[in-house]
Amino acid sequence: VTKGPRPVSTVRIGIIGAGDIAKAHVLAARGLNSYFGAEGLRADVVALADRSPEVAARAAQAYDVERWTADWEQLVGAPDVDAVIVATPNDLHAPMAIAAAEAGKHVLCEKPLARDLASADAMVDAAERAGIVHSVNFNYRRIPAIGYARRLIEAGEIGDVVSFQGAFTQDWGIDPTVPRSWKFEASRAGAGPLLSLGCHVLDLAHVLVGRVDRVVSAAATHVTERPLPTGEGTYAPVDPARAGTLPHGEVDVEDLGTMLLGFAGGALGTFMASRLAPGRKNHCFLEISGTAGTIVFDYEHMNDLLVASGANATAGLTRIVVGPEHEPSHVWTLGGLGVGYSDTVVLHARAFVTAIRDGTPLEPSFRDGRRVHEVVDAAMRSQSTGRWEQVRDTA
Ligand SMILES: NC(=O)c1ccc[n+]([C@@H]2O[C@H](COP(=O)([O-])OP(=O)(O)OC[C@H]3O[C@@H](n4cnc5c(N)ncnc54)[C@H](O)[C@@H]3O)[C@@H](O)[C@H]2O)c1
């Protein structure tokens, strides 16, 4: 018995940037076929591009992708590429996504959308002018517990939101021998964890609470120089015996930063982002309280949601193991099996490919990505002025 013809055409994807996150996107395309093939969704990674031919060739071999190139423009122009995933350092998102949009390719851009607000503006304009499907990979929106939190808030289960507490802390920057990769260069990354990690939390704040309309922010850099990269990876410390002998480069982004947030709807919030929090691995934390309840989410326990609501709201928080009965997009019929990081990118690929196939609206779009830049831009102004700054409001 043969499986018969494919139910739909396959979306053919090219990925630019074959570094750490590229693996997740290859896995997402393949996971899509397994998880959601029954919905007629199919994707295939047909090409990889990386500035380094060695990295590109190694990745193509490891991930079993048919072809690779060191010339990203070649990938963008290839007639057999329907959609481009931009997975390069932040300063390259704008030129690559704009070129891909102008070539008529659908674009999924890694987060943050850009290095800065001006580039984000140009990306939104180019994508909308080209009429392509565009999205920013705020994959944390796809965590089923977040989907459930959103449903509860929209159903009024916690009443009117009055406060938001957000944190995103990691510890890999604590070792001063971790190399000065592009993530520590303002001209490439735009900012440190306030943007890199903060973009996920600020996007979730927008979705769960509403528009942030003013901020005040402070930031600090404790490790002011690091050994220049040796090609051995972004996060691994250099051998301490060698670290002293390597040339060092300046760090000009924050190691940690804070914001106070004022929401247009009246809620107030706090946010802390850090790469210097020993013991915190990927502590993306949200606590949202309303007039009738509270919701708590912690990525390190991403299958759970703590909820206080209803008549017993003040009795304490109840732990809910989130399954498809709470959030239908859950990938398993038995929710207790749980989801992980990879599932979030598969779920995002599902939304992206569905939008390409059916022409359905897709969130988060480049506009959602820009919204985060509007907040971070105001935060960076506040770091200079020491005052509350208004957040630009582009619908
Ligand atoms: N959504 C998430 O959870 C998540 C997680 C990690 C990283 N990211 C984002 O993904 C992007 C990439 O991050 P990463 O950690 O994979 O970085 P990385 O440094 O590991 O990989 C970037 C790759 O881009 C390549 N590159 C650089 N210039 C290029 C060019 N001109 N042409 C082609 N390739 C080029 C580099 O050689 C490198 O292999 C960043 O924007 C980052 O913020 C998102």
Side-chain angles (χ1 to χ4, degrees):
V1 179
T2 57
K3 64 180 166 43
R6 285 187 164 192
V8 290
S9 59
T10 299
V11 173
R12 298 163 300 177
I13 293 172
I15 302 177
I16 313 179
D20 282 323
I21 201 65
K23 184 198 291 191
H25 291 293
V26 175
L27 193 147
R30 302 208 171 130
L32 178 82
N33 298 336
S34 306
Y35 280 161
F36 304 113
E39 295 175 9
L41 296 174
R42 289 279 187 281
D44 191 13
V45 180
V46 296
L48 289 175
D50 199 282
R51 176 186 57 176
S52 155
E54 294 76 33
V55 168
R58 206 166 49 231
Q61 171 84 23
Y63 306 147
D64 194 22
V65 172
E66 208 169 285
R67 64 178 203 274
W68 61 267
T69 174
D71 174 4
W72 66 268
E73 287 171 296
Q74 195 185 80
L75 180 146
V76 161
D80 67 342
V81 169
D82 306 311
V84 171
I85 296 179
V86 178
T88 48
N90 304 348
D91 59 318
L92 297 171
H93 292 185
M96 291 171 171
I98 291 170
E102 287 174 350
K105 312 296 182 184
H106 305 295
V107 184
L108 172 55
C109 184
E110 257 308 340
K111 65 80 209 167
L113 181 63
R115 181 189 59 189
D116 51 44
L117 182 54
S119 311
D121 281 335
M123 293 170 78
V124 171
D125 289 349
E128 293 185 350
R129 210 178 314 117
I132 47 118
V133 171
H134 49 95
S135 188
V136 56
N137 191 33
F138 289 146
N139 52 314
Y140 286 45
R141 278 200 195 196
R142 305 283 174 215
I143 298 168
I146 292 292
Y148 183 47
R150 194 170 172 180
R151 282 167 194 279
L152 290 174
I153 293 170
E154 283 170 2
E157 292 290 329
I158 65 165
D160 297 330
V161 174
V162 294
S163 68
F164 171 90
Q165 297 174 64
F168 202 147
T169 54
Q170 300 181 334
D171 65 4
W172 60 276
I174 198 78
D175 189 325
T177 70
V178 166
R180 204 289 312 269
S181 68
W182 65 267
K183 297 188 186 203
F184 293 100
E185 277 183 88
S187 64
R188 309 220 59 199
L194 275 176
L195 179 62
S196 170
L197 304 177
C199 65
H200 283 301
V201 173
L202 293 168
D203 178 60
L204 295 177
H206 284 148
V207 164
L208 298 170
V209 182
R211 199 174 77 76
V212 174
D213 74 351
R214 64 193 193 286
V215 294
V216 63
S217 175
T221 306
H222 290 271
V223 183
T224 53
E225 59 164 37
R226 293 176 178 275
L228 293 177
T230 56
E232 290 156 44
T234 305
Y235 306 105
V238 172
D239 172 4
R242 273 177 66 212
T245 65
L246 292 171
H248 279 55
E250 188 201 350
V251 173
D252 59 359
V253 298
E254 78 283 357
D255 287 324
L256 60 93
T258 62
M259 287 186 204
L260 293 180
L261 309 167
F263 289 86
L268 288 177
T270 61
F271 174 52
M272 157 71 75
S274 175
R275 293 172 177 153
L276 299 190
R280 289 302 193 186
K281 299 302 167 188
N282 203 54
H283 180 62
C284 172
F285 174 83
L286 310 174
E287 181 163 327
I288 301 169
S289 291
T291 48
T294 291
I295 284 174
V296 182
F297 170 79
D298 176 356
Y299 182 95
E300 290 176 356
H301 305 277
M302 71 189 299
N303 290 290
D304 297 349
L305 198 65
L306 301 182
V307 180
S309 71
N312 289 328
T314 54
L317 292 153
T318 301
R319 182 173 80 98
I320 295 170
V321 179
V322 176
E325 65 275 35
H326 307 103
E327 169 51 51
S329 69
H330 201 289
V331 299
W332 303 115
T333 49
L334 195 57
L337 294 175
V339 294
Y341 180 79
S342 319
D343 298 301
T344 67
V345 275
V346 180
L347 284 165
H348 195 64
R350 176 202 206 180
F352 184 58
V353 169
T354 303
I356 292 171
R357 187 191 62 175
D358 301 344
T360 44
L362 174 62
E363 61 159 73
S365 68
F366 279 12
R367 276 184 181 255
D368 296 299
R370 173 168 71 178
R371 230 171 159 198
V372 164
H373 281 286
E374 289 174 332
V375 179
V376 174
D377 185 73
M380 291 174 84
R381 274 186 275 124
S382 169
Q383 287 167 22
S384 307
T385 63
R387 287 203 288 268
W388 283 94
E389 293 288 337
Q390 287 300 124
V391 173
R392 193 186 77 178
D393 180 13
T394 311

